[in-house]
Amino acid sequence: MTEVVATNQTILVVGGGISGMTAALEAAECGKDVILIEKNPSLGGRVAQLYKYFPKMCYPTCGMEINLRRIKANRRLRVITLAEVAGVTGEAGNYTVNLTIAPRYVNENCTACGACGQAVETAFADEYNYGLKQRKGAYLPYAMAYPQRYVLDPRIVGTPEAEKAKAACQYHAIDLNMMAEKVQLTVGAIIWATGWQPFDANKIQPYAYDRNPNVITSVEFERMMEPFGPTGGKILRPSDQKEAKNIAFIQCAGSRDRNYLKHCSRMCCTATLKQTTYVREKYGDAGKSSVYYIDIRAIDRFEDLYQKVKKDPNVTFIKSKVASVTLEKGTGNPVLNGVNTEGYHRYSNPHDLVVLAIGMQPSVDFAKLGIPLTLNESGFIEADPKNGGMFAAGTAADAMDVNRAVQHATASALRAIQVINKVAGVVEA
Amino acid sequence: MSNAYRNNFLREVTANVEEGEWVKMCMQCGVCSGSCPLGPHWEHPPQEIFMMIRAGKREEVLKSNSMWYCTSCYNCIARCPRGLPITHIMHGLAHYAKRLGMVPQNQQTAKFAQKFWDNLTKKGRVNELTLGLSLYFMNGFGEGVKTSLKMQGVGLGMLKTQRMDPLEILGGHGCKDVAGLQAALKKARQIEEAKAVKV
Ligand SMILES: Cc1cc2nc3c(=O)[nH]c(=O)nc-3n(C[C@H](O)[C@H](O)[C@H](O)COP(=O)(O)OP(=O)(O)OC[C@H]3O[C@@H](n4cnc5c(N)ncnc54)[C@H](O)[C@@H]3O)c2cc1C
Ligand code: SF4
Ligand code: SF4
């Protein structure tokens, strides 16, 4: 049974991505009691799934390491993984939260030696790699996962595979009797840092994501660059595993479109600019990037990156929302069709690979969950006094980059602290 | 404000063209132009037409053959990220150009549309036999005979399956109150013209 001590002076942070980790750490380092819950088996969120991140092009592992160190050092912060909120009632200073915690089937004895993973044969689509590779039924979500503990996929529990894993573990870390738990908490304030998810590319029918294997999304492209990732760091075409050197990027894939997401996802322009630098990093002058765009929205200081990429003779910008992606017979090349609005030139351009700069949408449907939060028309959480002691942090509030998400999360921590201070009588109510 | 900055043509289109108020919503993404199956044949694809309207190019737009090429396939409407009813705007522009007498000479779609309208309003029903024949002979007697001969098989087939009544050539049947219909159409036109903003 998971023991959780919480009072109406505790802050609950939902979501363990960069925003949730930041909000939880800032509040805990100010001396507040914090519970951080994450629905996945590990902290990290979607930043941990990037190859590098702008503006400085550092590896996410670096920022992750610093945050993990802070988490480990803080005794006021309690992390619960595989946990989700089932319901919330109450008001600022006194919320009752129902959590459901899924079984991990692996306890604290785990040293992450990997023996169970070797023993198990059944494999499933690897969520961390957006399904670009398979992972075993006993697995570590990714190299830097926190907690550094294996997980058993519930689909092997009850099969001989689970028994194999158990037998392989010499630390008695595998406990097949673990059960799903329901836990009720009392907390004073709640920070929603549940983040974003990529828009479902299958819905953008003209772009053939569901029909042409050489049409991928920007999040998948990030995984391809990873040296220990599904392609060993090579940009390979899914259809024939050939190296793709002539790469097209389609902007606003799902965003700024009444048929899909109405809002501008704000990050995808800069993400594409970054990804053209990946192509150069891989191939030098032998790689070619073509960016099809409506307008480039590299906000404020990202303009520098835009100017830098514009100077690269191997990157072409085509001002056009692509009308359709068809298939070139024989080569498997995706062909982009449309009109270049600068001069109204009609084009049908074949490329080796197409990357959809996919839109960002909220990862949680709060209305459906019955959580009383004011949402905007895209489903992101609005800053509204009606939300009481509940605040959004990072991309739960809007599409934004890591830098802004961290600032936003820090602000939300401060707001939650103010609620707790009122409860504690530190400040007047 | 100086008159030079007033876009009179955009205002004219907004006021007088069916669905014309949408033109200002276009964000020039180009997906309509790229999606049009007849796109390669037009003078100006829809997105360019919308830009020309906003640039005040009245003559070029209204005298262009572009909007007459629209076949109502609805590809553009399905894909427009801003939800513009592009197909309807194209027909609205065509209709408006026609009202102003600015249709290019010998525009085939316009000619057919006129024939269809005349045929329909005569009796309140389309007479397929006379409409078909007038269409065959639209571009002269010689071509009419040639087309008629080519279509002979189809015609005979329709006769045999009673899909066509040869007696319709004598005028055919109409709706119950032809005079009433024509009065209604006349009134509708009066209202439309009274409403039109003169620029
Ligand atoms: C292709 C692409 C490339 C990008 N590259 C960059 C870049 O280079 N630099 C940059 O600054 N930004 C980049 N971004 C933006 C960046 O990914 C986001 O700013 C960042 O992920 C925001 O972090 P977050 O913590 O708000 O959300 P997330 O990373 O989505 O984290 C949310 C966390 O909450 C958890 N969660 C969700 N629902 C629940 C629930 N119900 N209960 C419990 N936990 C839950 C999730 O599992 C996840 O761990 C990129 C975006 C895209 C699309
Ligand atoms: S950031 Fe760029 S690609 Fe993304 S929705 Fe906005 S304009 Fe489109
Ligand atoms: S698709 Fe819509 S928004 Fe895009 S150019 Fe055409 S009319 Fe304008």
Side-chain angles (χ1 to χ4, degrees):
Chain A
M1 190 71 202
T2 310
E3 293 291 340
V4 194
V5 183
T7 71
N8 61 358
Q9 293 191 32
T10 303
I11 298 170
L12 174 69
V13 180
V14 187
I18 187 66
S19 305
M21 286 194 288
T22 303
L25 278 166
E26 294 295 339
E29 287 173 0
C30 284
K32 301 298 172 201
D33 290 321
V34 179
I35 294 173
L36 171 60
I37 68 163
E38 165 57 52
K39 74 164 196 276
N40 286 337
S42 162
L43 297 182
R46 299 207 184 260
V47 178
Q49 291 168 287
L50 301 176
Y51 167 55
K52 284 183 185 175
Y53 70 115
F54 57 72
K56 290 201 279 178
M57 304 298 176
C58 24
Y59 297 98
T61 39
C62 170
M64 186 70 184
E65 194 182 337
I66 297 167
N67 279 322
L68 291 182
R69 241 200 282 162
R70 286 165 77 192
I71 289 173
K72 286 175 197 160
N74 199 305
R75 294 205 280 147
R76 292 192 172 273
L77 173 57
R78 171 85 205 262
V79 176
I80 309 173
T81 50
L82 293 165
E84 273 185 89
V85 174
V88 176
T89 55
E91 58 193 13
N94 187 18
Y95 286 109
T96 303
V97 181
N98 288 310
L99 296 186
T100 51
I101 306 178
R104 187 182 195 101
Y105 302 107
V106 178
N107 63 31
E108 294 79 3
N109 293 344
C110 176
T111 62
C113 72
C116 56
Q118 272 163 15
V120 167
E121 276 158 46
T122 318
F124 302 97
D126 181 0
E127 299 86 351
Y128 176 70
N129 283 302
Y130 292 102
L132 291 182
K133 77 183 245 304
Q134 301 261 300
R135 56 142 178 87
K136 292 287 190 67
Y139 66 106
L140 191 64
Y142 63 102
M144 278 205 71
Y146 178 86
Q148 270 286 309
R149 250 203 270 165
Y150 271 62
V151 198
L152 253 57
D153 193 302
R155 286 168 287 190
I156 70 162
V157 176
T159 74
E161 287 284 278
E163 298 300 337
K164 270 197 233 163
K166 189 176 158 81
C169 179
Q170 48 172 311
Y171 302 101
H172 306 291
I174 294 180
D175 175 359
L176 297 175
N177 295 323
M178 277 190 194
M179 306 270 262
E181 294 177 58
K182 286 192 194 309
V183 175
Q184 197 170 67
L185 300 179
T186 301
V187 299
I190 303 174
I191 294 175
W192 294 97
T194 42
W196 62 279
Q197 60 180 336
F199 181 74
D200 178 6
N202 285 331
K203 288 189 182 153
I204 317 169
Q205 272 299 308
Y207 292 166
Y209 178 79
D210 59 340
R211 310 186 287 282
N212 189 329
N214 297 332
V215 179
I216 65 168
T217 65
S218 49
V219 290
E220 292 165 353
F221 192 63
E222 293 283 338
R223 298 314 308 144
M224 279 194 178
M225 288 298 295
E226 167 75 47
F228 302 103
T231 55
K234 288 190 175 149
I235 306 175
L236 299 182
R237 292 178 12 138
S239 73
D240 50 16
Q241 303 299 311
K242 276 197 203 131
E243 271 196 313
K245 295 191 172 164
N246 172 5
I247 300 173
F249 296 89
I250 301 185
Q251 296 311 108
C252 305
S255 308
R256 297 176 70 189
D257 194 325
R258 278 167 186 270
N259 298 309
Y260 313 116
L261 304 172
K262 240 168 117 176
H263 60 268
C264 164
S265 297
R266 296 206 290 185
M267 254 30 273
C268 9
C269 277
T270 323
T272 289
L273 294 172
K274 173 184 73 172
Q275 291 180 345
T276 66
T277 70
Y278 293 175
V279 178
R280 173 158 282 287
E281 174 186 321
K282 270 284 97 99
Y283 304 118
D285 279 334
K288 265 186 62 194
S289 300
S290 307
V291 182
Y292 295 81
Y293 69 102
I294 303 175
D295 31 44
I296 295 290
R297 292 183 167 173
I299 43 182
D300 59 54
R301 66 195 175 114
F302 298 140
E303 177 75 16
D304 294 347
L305 178 60
Y306 180 32
Q307 294 309 329
K308 192 185 131 207
V309 171
K310 257 171 106 173
K311 285 203 194 100
D312 184 337
N314 285 18
V315 183
T316 316
F317 289 89
I318 300 115
K319 188 165 171 56
S320 167
K321 183 172 167 78
V322 174
S324 64
V325 179
T326 48
L327 181 71
E328 190 174 68
K329 287 235 169 68
T331 61
N333 285 340
V335 180
L336 273 54
N337 308 291
V339 168
N340 183 344
T341 67
E342 287 179 324
Y344 301 98
H345 303 299
R346 209 158 278 280
Y347 60 80
S348 285
N349 296 341
H351 293 276
D352 296 340
L353 185 74
V354 175
V355 179
L356 304 178
I358 202 75
M360 295 163 80
Q361 70 183 72
S363 73
V364 174
D365 186 342
F366 295 100
K368 214 163 135 192
L369 256 183
I371 296 176
L373 286 163
T374 307
L375 306 175
N376 69 16
E377 63 177 333
S378 300
F380 291 110
I381 303 171
E382 290 268 38
D384 185 343
K386 286 204 203 96
N387 294 340
M390 299 199 286
F391 310 99
T395 51
D398 209 340
M400 60 180 100
D401 59 290
V402 173
N403 179 30
R404 279 178 183 74
V406 168
Q407 289 176 17
H408 195 263
T410 308
S412 70
L414 203 53
R415 288 184 192 279
I417 287 170
Q418 286 169 338
V419 173
I420 300 301
N421 282 351
K422 276 185 201 161
V423 176
V426 180
V427 293
E428 270 175 43
Chain B
M1 193 169 57
S2 152
N3 243 351
Y5 291 100
R6 287 230 175 98
N7 190 337
N8 287 335
F9 186 42
L10 177 62
R11 287 196 301 160
E12 180 183 348
V13 167
T14 304
N16 295 354
V17 171
E18 200 183 330
E19 306 281 10
E21 69 274 14
W22 280 95
V23 170
K24 61 178 179 289
M25 291 299 292
C26 169
M27 66 165 159
Q28 291 292 299
C29 73
V31 90
C32 52
S33 304
S35 302
C36 179
L38 284 147
H41 309 288
W42 303 31
E43 253 176 287
H44 314 290
Q47 159 232 4
E48 194 181 4
I49 286 271
F50 299 150
M51 197 43 146
M52 288 165 72
I53 293 173
R54 303 200 303 210
K57 298 201 180 287
R58 187 172 191 273
E59 297 274 300
E60 283 102 314
V61 170
L62 292 174
K63 286 187 174 165
S64 114
N65 70 11
S66 299
M67 50 275 191
W68 295 98
Y69 271 78
C70 172
T71 58
S72 311
C73 77
Y74 283 80
N75 252 356
C76 54
I77 293 197
R79 290 183 188 164
C80 174
R82 285 285 177 96
L84 269 76
I86 304 161
T87 311
H88 306 165
I89 305 172
M90 288 304 131
H91 296 320
L93 281 170
H95 180 224
Y96 187 56
K98 165 83 186 157
R99 248 167 66 191
L100 297 176
M102 292 172 84
V103 181
Q105 287 276 309
N106 251 330
Q107 214 304 319
Q108 297 288 300
T109 317
K111 267 164 94 178
F112 171 66
Q114 189 65 53
K115 291 214 176 301
F116 185 90
W117 179 254
D118 293 345
N119 187 295
L120 172 72
T121 51
K122 207 166 172 182
K123 291 214 154 170
R125 298 188 90 109
V126 171
N127 183 324
E128 287 178 355
L129 190 56
T130 55
L131 179 66
L133 286 173
S134 69
L135 186 62
Y136 296 169
F137 288 91
M138 188 168 85
N139 294 321
F141 187 74
E143 198 186 307
V145 172
K146 249 194 353 229
T147 315
S148 305
L149 287 173
K150 204 170 78 192
M151 298 303 285
Q152 211 176 23
V154 178
L156 287 173
M158 284 173 79
L159 278 179
K160 215 158 88 194
T161 50
Q162 296 187 334
R163 304 291 300 184
M164 194 170 68
D165 179 0
L167 294 178
E168 290 276 311
I169 194 110
L170 303 173
H173 62 302
C175 67
K176 271 188 200 141
D177 181 9
V178 177
L181 171 80
Q182 281 166 352
L185 287 173
K186 197 172 156 201
K187 184 77 194 165
R189 164 148 296 189
Q190 272 169 9
I191 295 173
E192 198 170 58
E193 272 162 14
K195 230 178 37 186
V197 177
K198 297 278 178 291
V199 191

